[in-house]
Amino acid sequence: MTESEESGGEETHDRQFVVALSRGLDVLRCFRANDAMLGNQEIASRTGLPKPTVSRLTYTLTKLGYLSYIERYAKYQLGTAVLSLGYTALASMDIRHVARPLMQELADYSDVAVSLGSGDQTSMIYIESCRGKGALTIRLSVGSRIPVATTAMGRAYLAALPEAERNAVLDQVRKRHPDDWPRIKLGLERALREYTQRGFTMSVGDWQSDVHAVGVALTNPATGAVMALNCGGAAFLLSRERLEDDLGPRLVAVARKIEAALGRR
């Protein structure tokens, strides 16, 4: 099977698109915050790539330092080259330094978690997170991934994207979750209406049954990059009424303050 046949996607029609590079990045992207190690079979399952292709990619990425091979387990973990890139990217993000004090203030008030995330295909990746003092605060940290379509953060992000970009993301979601798509679509349509009316979205048990959250998008005036904030925690701590009447409006105010501060830099 050729590389083009393996890709099976629309990108093969783009002469500027390097399929091999895309597949290598897909391998790196499939590692999650709670994954200590992954084997070639697990990577193949997550990426949808044939195992022989995965074996060549993991071999190459290991040679380059982006993966480390643990011989005892015959599995891979992310290498120091990935960590170096990640920490460099985080350190260069002014928005984290601007946002953190405002996020922490809301986390202390709400006694739950407030996080900032950026979109990555069908996921949101946490780039900053602040926790309240409560023992039941959700333990998601920088680097954690959450779904874009069923979470408050992801829905707010989608609501703020230009229509063509939003549709491209939703097409990926539909292809990855064909059986759940009708339910996901209904939730998204409701969330987009809420965002238009209130300026924030909610996820009330849509992602996980015991998690409630509110989300707001923000745009970096300097770069035009769309990101999103959420404020979420255990369902019994965050009723729909508290999200709608208190934390939603407060999170909107935090987002606008962050945007204003970035605009002055």
Side-chain angles (χ1 to χ4, degrees), residues 55-249:
S55 297
R56 294 196 301 272
L57 289 170
T58 52
Y59 173 84
T60 303
L61 290 166
T62 300
K63 286 290 187 180
L64 295 173
Y66 291 101
L67 291 178
S68 295
Y69 182 66
I70 311 302
E71 190 169 357
R72 178 182 177 183
Y73 301 101
K75 292 188 176 186
Y76 298 87
Q77 63 184 18
L78 292 178
T80 54
V82 171
L83 296 177
S84 177
L85 287 175
Y87 283 122
T88 300
L90 286 173
S92 67
M93 289 183 178
D94 283 349
I95 190 170
R96 295 177 65 236
H97 307 296
V98 171
R100 184 169 182 80
L102 295 164
M103 292 167 57
Q104 188 62 59
E105 183 179 355
L106 181 56
D108 291 339
Y109 166 81
S110 62
D111 209 23
V112 291
V114 178
S115 302
L116 173 67
S118 180
D120 180 38
Q121 296 191 351
T122 61
S123 300
M124 299 296 294
I125 300 179
Y126 279 21
I127 62 173
E128 188 59 272
S129 188
C130 299
R131 296 170 183 165
K133 296 181 175 62
L136 296 174
T137 299
I138 295 176
R139 298 292 172 176
L140 292 175
S141 56
V142 173
S144 294
R145 286 178 176 268
I146 59 174
V148 73
T150 55
T151 60
M153 175 187 282
R155 289 169 170 178
Y157 170 77
L158 288 171
L161 285 181
E163 185 176 4
E165 292 182 34
R166 179 168 64 244
N167 288 339
V169 174
L170 294 182
D171 191 49
Q172 291 184 62
V173 174
R174 178 182 58 79
K175 290 177 179 177
R176 292 190 183 191
H177 306 282
D179 294 338
D180 292 333
W181 176 244
R183 176 184 60 82
I184 292 172
K185 183 181 178 183
L186 283 175
L188 281 167
E189 289 172 345
R190 183 180 67 250
L192 293 178
R193 290 194 300 270
E194 289 175 348
Y195 199 83
T196 300
Q197 296 166 0
R198 299 171 178 159
F200 58 85
T201 63
M202 295 190 298
S203 177
V204 183
D206 298 322
W207 171 43
Q208 294 182 6
S209 60
D210 58 347
V211 174
H212 289 181
V214 63
V216 177
L218 60 87
T219 301
N220 188 329
T223 65
V226 177
M227 296 183 180
L229 293 161
N230 70 6
C231 180
F236 70 88
L237 293 175
L238 299 175
S239 66
R240 178 183 290 272
E241 291 73 24
R242 189 182 180 200
L243 294 177
E244 291 178 342
D245 300 334
D246 183 20
L247 297 183

Side-chain angles (χ1 to χ4, degrees), residues 1-27 47-50 52-54 56-58 60:
M1 182 178 289
T2 67
E3 185 177 68
S4 295
E5 289 170 333
E6 287 169 358
S7 72
E10 295 182 1
E11 66 265 17
T12 56
H13 301 298
D14 186 345
R15 297 175 64 87
Q16 297 298 314
F17 192 91
V18 182
V19 175
L21 175 59
S22 171
R23 297 304 171 227
L25 294 174
D26 282 343
V27 168
T47 60
L49 295 171
T53 301
V54 169
R56 294 196 301 272
L57 289 170
T58 52
T60 303

